[in-house]
Amino acid sequence: MPFDSTNADLQVIPVKTPDELKRFIVLPARLNAKDPNWITPLFMERTEALTPKTNPFFAHAEVQLFLATRGGRDVGRISAQIDHLTPQPTPGRLDGHFGMIAAEDDAAVFQILFRTAEDWLSAKGRTHAVGPFNLSINEEVGLLVHGFDTPPMVLMGHDPVYAGKRIEEQGYVKAQDLFAYRADETGDIPEIAQRRVKRGLPAGVVLRQLDWKRYDEEVATLTDILNDAWKDNWGFTPTTEAETRQLAKALKQVIDKRLVWFAEIDGEPAGVVVFLPNVNEAIADLNGKLLPFGWAKLLWRLKVKGVKSARIPLMGVKRKFSTTQRGRMLPFWMMKASRDTAIGLGYNRFEISWVLEANTAMTHIAENVGGTHYKTYRVYEKAL
């Protein structure tokens, strides 16, 4: 698609100053103001996520943010980044990533944003652009292409209906789809699994909740399990302990130790599952602001009133155990224990996300615990 010269006043600027970063962060809220399912992220959290001093991702990645403007008005944004920890899928291929995409429903805006991001990646030797990753595959991933009629869960994205078409107009094609499954308190693990669970844990298997007094050590254990469990997944990029620690620190006020379960086999950490209270339910009417009273409202809703929904963003079993009889049952034991605890605490809606469409083992688990596929996030790619 040739660039339309009638949009000569349309330009892209690299984000360099704190004011430009603020404009970058707040733009999606204005673009999505009429969407009843849009939830504005907390400005403080977004600022920390996009600042090198507070996000360990920048220690192993190069990142450039861009703003599109027309006549002095911000009309779009995009990021271009290279994660040096990402393994390359094939010899000779060098992937770069794009993300944070948000723009008015205007082909010219999408075109100039992607052309700028692609030029930046090409100049650094990248052969393909893949995304959206906000900013890494271990953070928010994919563009919403199905399930626009409900708000997103914590750490999941929400995009306008037109965005997918506009991205495809730039020559991008589907690389992978990621699924989100919705379940409620009436769902349960399959009857055959229930019978085995009711027999009790076999010798050598222990389930336990997160030990708050050893929080940092627990975070390191979680990182080790997930990096091992997910190693063979599409797009796998190891999470550094610093990144996990930063996320755990950011979520420490909302994590409920009763909803994080570890499994051990013969004394060795073997699996983990995390139920995360859906913070989005608590911040929906704060418009991204915690001051002057937003912080008090958030804590009251999370700690006193309580939210009713939770997301399961993390679950994994170490590969050395996953093919054994005891290891194959770990997801069901952990899910049963954490789900029953969550229901006892008043949670009645759950999301299992995200799950790679090709990960049939996990899609079967999600379906077998009563989950219904209700949202799809798409990762696109393009040869540069």
Side-chain angles (χ1 to χ4, degrees), residues 57-68:
F57 172 75
F58 287 81
H60 54 81
E62 300 174 60
V63 180
Q64 181 60 61
L65 310 179
F66 297 99
L67 270 172

Side-chain angles (χ1 to χ4, degrees), residues 83-90 93 95 97 231 233 235-238:
D83 186 346
H84 294 292
L85 294 184
T86 300
Q88 298 307 317
T90 58
R93 173 167 169 163
D95 283 356
H97 299 151
K231 187 174 182 179
N233 286 352
F236 168 79
T237 300

Side-chain angles (χ1 to χ4, degrees), residues 135-157:
L135 290 166
S136 82
I137 197 169
N138 297 315
E139 298 177 66
E140 288 184 9
V141 180
L143 186 92
L144 183 68
V145 295
H146 164 71
F148 300 95
D149 56 342
T150 53
M153 286 273 190
V154 58
L155 300 179
M156 296 294 282

Side-chain angles (χ1 to χ4, degrees), residues 13-28:
I13 61 170
V15 172
K16 295 180 179 180
T17 69
D19 180 66
E20 291 166 348
L21 178 60
K22 180 179 180 180
R23 288 161 52 191
F24 185 93
I25 292 172
V26 302
L27 177 60

Side-chain angles (χ1 to χ4, degrees), residues 274-300:
V274 176
F275 276 54
L276 188 62
N278 180 27
V279 176
N280 281 5
E281 187 180 329
I283 69 171
D285 62 349
L286 298 182
N287 296 317
K289 300 177 182 178
L290 284 179
L291 298 174
F293 305 114
W295 185 243
K297 288 181 180 179
L298 177 60
L299 287 181
W300 183 80

Side-chain angles (χ1 to χ4, degrees), residues 196 202-205 263-266 268-271 317-333 365:
R196 296 184 64 180
V205 176
E264 298 175 354
I265 294 181
D266 298 332
E268 181 180 344
V317 175
K318 281 187 175 180
R319 288 176 298 159
K320 66 181 289 186
F321 298 113
S322 63
T323 57
T324 68
Q325 184 174 0
R326 291 182 296 178
R328 283 193 294 267
M329 280 297 296
L330 282 190
F332 297 107
W333 280 316
I365 289 174

Side-chain angles (χ1 to χ4, degrees), residues 82-361:
I82 298 171
D83 186 346
H84 294 292
L85 294 184
T86 300
Q88 298 307 317
T90 58
R93 173 167 169 163
L94 292 174
D95 283 356
H97 299 151
F98 72 89
M100 313 300 293
I101 181 66
E104 294 182 354
D105 187 10
D106 185 327
V109 176
F110 275 84
Q111 182 185 31
I112 196 171
L113 283 170
F114 276 93
R115 187 175 67 180
T116 303
E118 291 163 7
D119 287 347
W120 187 89
L121 292 172
S122 294
K124 292 182 176 294
R126 301 290 110 170
T127 63
H128 290 74
V130 184
F133 296 151
N134 303 336
L135 290 166
S136 82
I137 197 169
N138 297 315
E139 298 177 66
E140 288 184 9
V141 180
L143 186 92
L144 183 68
V145 295
H146 164 71
F148 300 95
D149 56 342
T150 53
M153 286 273 190
V154 58
L155 300 179
M156 296 294 282
H158 187 78
D159 302 285
V161 175
Y162 61 79
K165 175 185 176 182
R166 293 301 184 196
I167 291 175
E168 290 166 9
E169 288 173 346
Q170 306 311 312
Y172 285 81
V173 297
K174 168 187 165 182
Q176 287 284 331
D177 275 352
L178 318 173
F179 297 159
Y181 291 83
R182 177 174 56 196
D184 58 33
E185 77 276 15
T186 63
D188 209 336
I189 63 177
E191 184 177 347
I192 187 172
Q194 287 191 53
R195 291 198 297 267
R196 296 184 64 180
V197 168
K198 287 178 181 178
R199 296 175 194 163
L201 297 172
V205 176
V206 173
L207 295 184
R208 65 173 182 82
Q209 294 167 317
L210 180 145
D211 185 345
W212 203 257
K213 294 180 181 179
R214 300 189 299 118
Y215 188 73
D216 289 345
E217 183 180 339
E218 296 282 66
V219 170
T221 299
L222 180 148
T223 303
D224 180 61
I225 292 172
L226 295 179
N227 278 341
D228 181 87
W230 296 351
K231 187 174 182 179
D232 294 330
N233 286 352
W234 174 88
F236 168 79
T237 300
T239 303
T240 67
E241 190 173 326
E243 289 174 288
T244 310
R245 189 184 304 115
Q246 172 63 22
L247 179 61
K249 177 182 177 182
L251 295 175
K252 196 169 186 177
Q253 295 298 323
V254 300
I255 286 177
D256 190 327
K257 65 180 181 180
R258 297 168 294 183
L259 300 179
V260 180
W261 285 76
F262 289 92
E264 298 175 354
I265 294 181
D266 298 332
E268 181 180 344
V272 66
V273 64
V274 176
F275 276 54
L276 188 62
N278 180 27
V279 176
N280 281 5
E281 187 180 329
I283 69 171
D285 62 349
L286 298 182
N287 296 317
K289 300 177 182 178
L290 284 179
L291 298 174
F293 305 114
W295 185 243
K297 288 181 180 179
L298 177 60
L299 287 181
W300 183 80
R301 291 168 181 172
L302 291 171
K303 300 296 185 181
V304 182
K305 181 181 178 182
V307 298
K308 301 301 182 183
S309 57
R311 178 180 168 226
I312 307 162
L314 303 173
M315 183 169 71
V317 175
K318 281 187 175 180
R319 288 176 298 159
K320 66 181 289 186
F321 298 113
S322 63
T323 57
T324 68
Q325 184 174 0
R326 291 182 296 178
R328 283 193 294 267
M329 280 297 296
L330 282 190
F332 297 107
W333 280 316
M334 293 188 298
M335 286 288 287
K336 179 69 173 175
S338 51
R339 175 188 167 279
D340 288 353
T341 302
I343 291 172
L345 294 171
Y347 293 90
N348 57 31
R349 288 177 291 117
F350 307 99
E351 178 178 287
I352 305 169
S353 62
W354 45 266
V355 181
L356 278 167
E357 63 174 330
N359 188 348
T360 55

